[in-house]
Structure formats: C-alpha cells, structure tokens
C-alpha cells in the first residue's frame, strides 16, 4: 500500500501505460512526456478480453440452444436478447438489421466492463504486482476516457454512415445547412448549430459513462482507505463497501442501458429522412 492516502488514491487511478521513447519502450513514468501515443495496456487487455468473453459465451449458448426446456443460462440470454429486441422495436422504426445486434453488443459489453468495478480495488492489482512486479494496473476499462471515447466514436461513425446511406450525401449536407432555418442566408449559422449538436452526441456518450464509473471507482478507493484505520473504522468500511456495492449495481446496469438506448435513438434519428 502507498505511504500516504494521496499516493494510494493516485496509485489506484493510474493506468499501466506503455509508450515509445528515444531510449526504447517506456513505462508509466517515462510516458509523462511521450505525447499522444500512449497505450493503456490494462484497459485494452480487459476491454478486449471481456469482449471476447461475451462473443464466446453467446456463441456457445447459441450452438447448444434447444427448443425443449432451456437451461438457466440459455433462459437468461434469451430474456436478455428479447429485452434488447423490444427496446429496439420501441425506439427504432426503420429497417436496419445492424441496430439490434449492435445494441445487444453495446449493452452486454459495457455491462461486463462496468461489472469489474465490483471487484475489491486491491485484489487484482496486488495479485498482478505479486506475480509480475507491475506497479500500476486498473481493471475497469470504462473508468478510462480512452475506452469510453472509442466506444462513442464507433457509435458516431455508425450514425454518420447510416445518415448518409439513408439520405445520401446531398441530403446529409442539407440537414447540416438548412436546419432549423430554411433560408440561404442562415446556412453558416445552421451549419455551426447543427455541427455542435452532432458532435455533442459522442462527447456526451463518452463523458457520461466515464464520469459515472470513474466516480464510483473513486468512492471504492476512498472506502478502502478506511480499512487501515483500526478495527472500528475497518468494520465501518466493510459496511460502507457493501452498501455502496449494492447501490453501484444499479449504476452499472443503468449506464449500460443508457449507452445502448442513446445509440438506438441516434441511429433512429439518422434513419429519418426529412
């Protein structure tokens, strides 16, 4: 454990960073002035790993699916798929075979990444340090703005592609220049206004998910500090940890649902030809 509370908090909020320096491959301290290309290895490892886990699990259940009495896992996944499918039908009124699978992927993937926040903050980092000597290691990908921004950017590019596919390049350009005021004189004003509205979508997606999960992780770290305050404070810390974990389950599910629903809404808006 770090020497002071400030160092402990900073330690748990720092990613395992890898970068290229003049002297070769650099790690955390060497990456402070490395520029833009700094890789957060821990975030990428867990994000990709949980994504592969999702694909493997759902594929395995689909291959073993039966029309008879389903097992508990098959039943749960069928309920989840039906829930996402109904959410898409309620919001998206066009015809696009990509929307429902994309919504399911987003919901489950974001949920799995958020779920890592319920693992005690010292458990995996200390195990990694003991096994490999690596000092910094974060296990919640959605507390990394790089990951949430990448997810939001993927949604944003899909929205742009869908809008151009439905309306054409000319129709997409008209939406940016002739709304809300349909007059040639107002084209510059319309373009600025609509561009801000368009760019606000991925920014809000990324920051909302990152902010909520980062705050949740920070509270877990602060509660962990209480454990070093003796038996009485340690017992209080256990109670606080359990209460916050129970409440945080709602946050974890809700943030995955919000990210999914906003994606469906944005794709629905992109599919409407004005």
């Amino acid at each position: 454990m770090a020497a002071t509370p400030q160092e402990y908090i900073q330690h748990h909020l720092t990613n395992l960073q890898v970068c290229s320096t003049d002297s070769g491959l650099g790690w955390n301290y060497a990456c402070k002035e490395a520029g833009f290309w700094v890789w957060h290895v821990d975030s990428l490892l867990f994000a990709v790993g949980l994504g592969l886990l999702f694909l493997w699990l759902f594929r395995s259940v689909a291959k073993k699916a039966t029309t008879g009495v389903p097992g508990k896992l098959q039943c749960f996944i069928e309920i989840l798929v039906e829930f996402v499918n109904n959410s898409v039908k309620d919001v998206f009124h066009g015809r696009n075979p990509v929307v429902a699978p994309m919504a399911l992927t987003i919901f489950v993937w974001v949920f799995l990444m958020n779920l890592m926040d319920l693992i005690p903050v010292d458990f995996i980092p200390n195990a990694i340090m003991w096994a490999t000597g690596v000092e910094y290691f974060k296990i919640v990908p959605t507390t990394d703005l790089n990951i949430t921004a990448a997810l939001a950017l993927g949604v944003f590019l899909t929205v742009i592609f869908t809008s151009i596919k439905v309306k054409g390049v000319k129709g997409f350009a008209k939406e940016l220049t002739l709304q809300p005021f349909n007059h040639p004189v107002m084209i510059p004003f319309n373009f600025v206004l609509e561009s801000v509205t368009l760019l606000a979508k991925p920014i809000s997606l990324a920051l909302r998910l990152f902010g909520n999960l980062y705050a949740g992780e920070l509270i877990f770290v602060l509660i962990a500090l209480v454990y070093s305050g003796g038996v009485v404070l340690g017992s209080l810390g256990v109670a606080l940890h359990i209460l916050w974990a129970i409440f945080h389950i709602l946050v974890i599910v809700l943030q995955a649902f919000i990210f999914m629903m906003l994606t469906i809404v944005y794709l629905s808006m992109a599919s409407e030809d004005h």
Side-chain angles (χ1 to χ4, degrees):
M1 185 174 178
T4 66
Q6 291 81 2
E7 291 175 352
Y8 179 79
I9 294 171
Q10 186 62 39
H11 177 271
H12 279 284
L13 297 180
T14 302
N15 287 94
L16 172 60
Q17 300 174 350
V18 176
C19 60
S20 178
T21 64
D22 295 336
S23 57
L25 198 64
W27 299 80
N28 283 72
Y29 296 111
C31 294
K32 291 183 178 179
E33 298 180 359
F36 180 74
W37 292 109
V38 177
W39 295 82
H40 290 184
V41 179
D42 45 8
S43 294
L44 290 171
L45 177 65
F46 274 91
V48 173
L50 291 170
L52 293 175
L53 174 64
F54 156 67
L55 294 175
W56 171 80
L57 180 63
F58 275 61
R59 184 175 184 273
S60 299
V61 172
K63 288 177 65 177
K64 299 176 182 178
T66 175
T67 56
V69 179
K72 293 181 180 180
L73 182 57
Q74 180 184 335
C75 186
F76 172 75
I77 290 181
E78 286 179 354
I79 293 172
L80 182 61
V81 171
E82 185 177 359
F83 164 72
V84 173
N85 191 47
N86 289 336
S87 298
V88 173
K89 288 180 179 179
D90 290 340
V91 178
F92 188 85
H93 303 295
R95 291 183 176 273
N96 192 330
V98 176
V99 177
M102 183 177 181
L104 178 65
T105 302
I106 287 174
F107 180 76
V108 178
W109 195 15
V110 172
F111 171 76
L112 289 176
M113 289 191 286
N114 293 350
L115 191 64
M116 300 301 295
D117 210 12
L118 295 181
I119 298 176
V121 293
D122 287 315
F123 184 71
I124 293 181
N126 283 350
I128 294 293
M129 184 181 294
W130 177 81
T132 64
V134 173
E135 184 178 358
Y136 297 99
F137 205 85
K138 287 180 64 178
I139 65 170
V140 189
T142 43
T143 60
D144 187 345
L145 185 57
N146 295 282
I147 298 296
T148 59
L151 290 171
L153 181 60
V155 172
F156 178 68
L157 293 177
T158 306
V159 168
I160 297 297
F161 174 80
T162 302
S163 186
I164 293 176
K165 182 180 178 181
V166 172
K167 305 158 191 171
V169 176
K170 186 176 180 180
F172 180 68
K174 282 184 176 181
E175 277 201 346
L176 291 178
T177 55
L178 299 178
Q179 288 188 137
F181 304 106
N182 190 5
H183 194 282
V185 177
M186 300 300 293
I187 285 178
F189 176 78
N190 289 337
F191 180 74
V192 172
L193 186 63
E194 290 298 314
S195 296
V196 170
T197 303
L198 187 65
L199 294 175
K201 294 176 180 178
I203 294 174
S204 63
L205 274 178
L207 292 181
R208 180 184 293 105
L209 181 59
F210 164 73
N212 281 278
L213 270 296
Y214 187 86
E217 184 188 37
L218 180 58
I219 292 176
F220 276 124
V221 173
L222 293 174
I223 292 174
L225 283 171
V226 181
Y227 294 151
S228 60
V231 177
V232 177
L233 286 178
S235 302
L236 177 62
V238 172
L240 290 174
H241 194 110
I242 294 173
L243 288 173
W244 178 245
I246 294 172
F247 174 76
H248 203 55
I249 292 173
L250 176 63
V251 176
I252 286 171
V253 178
L254 186 61
Q255 289 305 313
F257 176 74
I258 290 174
F259 202 103
M260 177 194 74
M261 288 303 298
L262 287 177
T263 299
I264 300 171
V265 169
Y266 294 157
L267 287 172
S268 179
M269 292 169 63
S271 300
E272 295 174 357
D273 190 4
H274 299 287

